[in-house]
Amino acid sequence: MSTGILSTNRPHLARQVRLEWDPVRERQVLLAPEGVLVLNQTGADILGLCDGERTVADIVEELRGQYNRVDSDEVHDFLARLVAKRWVELGDE
Amino acid sequence: MNRPFGMLAELTYKCPLHCPYCSNPLNLSDYHEELTTAEWQRVLIEARELGVLQLHLSGGEPLQRRDLVELVGDARDLGLYTNLITSAIGLSPRLAQELKDAGLDHVQISIQADEPALSDRIAGTRSYERKIAAYRLVKELGWPLTMNVVLHRHNLDRIGRILDLAEELEADRIELANTQYYGWAWRNRAALLPSRAQLDRAEEIVRAARRRLEGKMEIIYVIPDYYSKYPKPCMGGWGRQQLTVTPNGDVLPCPAAHTLNLPRATVREHSLAWIWEESPLFRRFRGTEWMPEPCRSCNRREVDFGGCRCQAFQLTGDAARTDPVCYLSPDHGIVEEAVQAANEGAESGEEDLVPRTYTARQT
């Protein structure tokens, strides 16, 4: 499935959002204008790696070091949903 | 029990504008004893402990509070995402820089129309040029910017040009929300409610703009609920996701809920946690137990939560009835009548709008 995300993109969080630890829910949360996303561990790990330096391929590779099974399509889909909201931006290929 | 994500902090009801759809209470004399800085600071800490992640600083005009910069800084220190909802009247370059330095995350500035004279007439004061300057200032300081526009019969036909203005000012988001009929807007309903033809045209323009501006500007468009088949899921459910604190410390499940005949809950007497979890006010319409038919057996009961309690009260005198907007409500005829009048009645003019006045003297 095509998501518009390339393995060579270097994603980073948009200027308008913040990643915070929520001690009440004990989860990482992504805070945006008029939006909150409570992240599961995988989502938090992905966003933690979105530093504008690593490519999507690098991110998938690093996740494979942490998890038994990492579906590259799922990472692409997750990022595509956030790109559509303009919470994540794609750097140069 | 769910924990709240967002808190609307109505810091003051003082406001330089006189919008005919003002959503603040009609009687402002109850709100003169505003919370002190120290009281707001306690509320912010309690809100964070309760699970609030987003703080919406509003009013009235929040810039009229002299401690705004301090409160923004405190909120940011607590990890809250801070959102300023303002008319921008009073947003000097210096104050803007101070708010930026304090960590304010996001700015929403209202405008009444794309055209200066109309915008000023609706606002009831000369404000358009200052607002435009403020939009530019917000972008210069690198904030994400939202343009807020309340829509009604007298500006809905200009929606295309309003979108053009937002694009020109490089807004990241635009909220185009049709008027909700409470408070002052209720008084002006006949002069504000648009016709179906106006809405159809607007919807087409919004659809085209969404395609054209995809990935560039987020467009939120809210139709008047009088024209929907189902009611709005007001506040995402009573006491479920959001809470409001008024200038004098009253806590409400929705900013219009002061109109309901329910026991008060105030931060001057109780903790925010007790109010959220235990107060009779927040428990009154939480969940689905309170629901009458047709809501009780409806498979949408946890989609729209029976609609808006304040609207049910406004239209039927009973806050525990199904929102009459719903086509299944036994009271739906009340809404149909208003819609019919907006489409067939004598054309109402802008001169019929009664500007918001402040009867009680403000200190």
Side-chain angles (χ1 to χ4, degrees):
Chain A
M1 140 180 199
S2 164
T3 59
I5 308 275
L6 304 173
S7 298
T8 49
N9 283 136
R10 298 177 196 276
H12 60 92
L13 294 183
R15 186 171 43 86
Q16 57 178 341
V17 305
R18 286 212 323 267
L19 197 57
E20 288 260 355
W21 170 251
D22 178 2
V24 177
R25 294 176 181 81
E26 299 185 329
R27 296 281 198 95
Q28 291 281 346
V29 288
L30 189 63
L31 306 179
E34 303 289 322
V36 172
L37 185 62
V38 179
L39 296 160
N40 60 22
Q41 191 56 50
T42 325
D45 287 343
I46 295 172
L47 291 182
L49 295 169
C50 290
D51 56 5
E53 304 277 326
R54 292 175 169 87
T55 64
V56 175
D58 293 339
I59 291 169
V60 170
E61 205 46 48
E62 288 211 29
L63 291 171
R64 287 196 168 130
Q66 292 175 43
Y67 295 93
N68 292 331
R69 190 192 135 275
V70 175
D71 184 342
S72 166
D73 283 351
E74 280 177 21
V75 177
H76 281 238
D77 288 350
F78 175 74
L79 288 173
R81 280 202 301 278
L82 296 182
V83 168
K85 285 176 172 289
R86 302 178 64 221
W87 293 356
V88 166
E89 290 170 2
L90 297 174
D92 295 338
E93 290 169 29
Chain B
M1 190 183 311
N2 288 291
R3 292 175 171 278
F5 283 103
M7 181 169 86
L8 176 67
E10 296 184 325
L11 296 179
T12 178
Y13 286 144
K14 291 174 194 151
C15 183
L17 305 191
H18 302 276
C19 305
Y21 42 75
C22 179
S23 60
N24 287 160
L26 295 181
N27 177 16
L28 295 179
S29 57
D30 295 343
Y31 299 93
H32 286 174
E33 284 188 38
E34 293 183 356
L35 295 182
T36 62
T37 307
E39 284 175 311
W40 273 116
Q41 286 166 331
R42 174 172 66 79
V43 170
L44 294 180
I45 291 168
E46 291 183 2
R48 188 65 201 87
E49 286 170 356
L50 188 56
V52 168
L53 292 166
Q54 288 209 318
L55 177 67
H56 309 287
L57 297 154
S58 178
E61 176 47 67
L63 296 176
Q64 301 226 355
R65 279 286 297 216
R66 282 160 189 255
D67 52 3
L68 181 63
V69 173
E70 191 179 350
L71 293 176
V72 165
D74 293 333
R76 270 305 302 266
D77 289 345
L78 291 165
L80 291 163
Y81 191 92
T82 51
N83 177 29
L84 179 68
I85 304 168
T86 178
S87 71
I89 306 305
L91 188 64
S92 64
R94 188 175 142 183
L95 178 56
Q97 187 63 57
E98 285 174 5
L99 288 166
K100 184 76 186 165
D101 295 341
L104 180 68
D105 287 293
H106 173 221
V107 183
Q108 296 185 234
I109 302 178
S110 68
I111 200 154
Q112 282 61 32
D114 62 296
E115 197 269 318
L118 177 61
S119 186
D120 287 352
R121 282 203 306 279
I122 295 171
T125 186
R126 284 189 63 158
S127 49
Y128 180 88
E129 294 301 337
R130 279 186 280 177
K131 285 167 179 282
I132 298 295
Y135 282 111
R136 300 215 158 98
L137 178 61
V138 164
K139 286 304 286 191
E140 276 165 30
L141 289 175
W143 265 310
L145 169 67
T146 294
M147 176 181 279
N148 285 350
V149 190
V150 176
L151 297 172
H152 46 79
R153 175 177 283 270
H154 306 289
N155 65 3
L156 190 56
D157 293 330
R158 307 188 63 90
I159 195 167
R161 277 168 285 193
I162 292 170
L163 281 157
D164 290 344
L165 178 66
E167 191 184 353
E168 183 200 320
L169 294 168
E170 298 176 65
D172 300 279
R173 302 171 69 250
I174 182 167
E175 291 192 11
L176 297 159
N178 270 279
T179 309
Q180 303 202 37
Y181 296 102
Y182 309 102
W184 214 269
W186 170 256
R187 188 172 286 201
N188 279 312
R189 188 181 70 177
L192 289 168
L193 190 62
S195 70
R196 195 177 294 280
Q198 282 186 296
L199 287 163
D200 288 345
R201 287 195 296 270
E203 213 151 347
E204 199 166 310
I205 292 167
V206 168
R207 256 201 307 274
R210 279 198 176 127
R211 278 195 299 272
R212 186 164 56 83
L213 297 169
E214 197 186 349
K216 195 170 163 200
M217 183 165 83
E218 184 186 357
I219 301 173
I220 292 108
Y221 176 66
V222 185
I223 68 163
D225 58 356
Y226 278 45
Y227 282 89
S228 356
K229 185 175 176 188
Y230 298 111
K232 57 180 176 277
C234 193
M235 307 308 289
W238 183 273
R240 192 166 162 272
Q241 296 183 341
Q242 310 280 336
L243 56 96
T244 295
V245 181
T246 68
N248 65 345
D250 286 351
V251 188
L252 299 169
C254 134
H258 60 84
T259 57
L260 305 181
N261 190 20
L262 292 174
R264 274 180 71 194
T266 165
V267 297
R268 284 186 160 143
E269 288 170 17
H270 290 102
S271 71
L272 216 49
W274 181 87
I275 293 170
W276 179 262
E277 289 158 14
E278 304 291 336
S279 71
L281 173 62
F282 274 77
R283 293 169 70 139
R284 179 64 183 88
F285 297 116
R286 184 176 270 146
T288 55
E289 281 304 298
W290 63 272
M291 285 181 179
E293 290 296 354
C295 294
R296 183 175 273 274
S297 60
C298 180
N299 60 15
R300 289 178 57 87
R301 66 186 174 276
E302 292 188 64
V303 176
D304 55 38
F305 307 99
C308 173
R309 298 304 87 228
C310 306
Q311 185 144 276
F313 178 74
Q314 182 101 66
L315 294 174
T316 74
D318 180 358
R321 288 180 77 76
T322 295
D323 186 336
V325 156
C326 184
Y327 82 110
L328 297 167
S329 156
D331 305 308
H332 186 57
I334 301 170
V335 171
E336 282 180 322
E337 242 171 71
V339 167
Q340 194 178 349
N343 287 280
E344 293 169 14
E347 192 68 12
S348 121
E350 198 190 309
E351 66 282 358
D352 296 324
L353 293 174
V354 182
R356 167 87 216 214
T357 54
Y358 301 92
T359 41
R361 209 171 81 81
Q362 291 192 60
T363 49

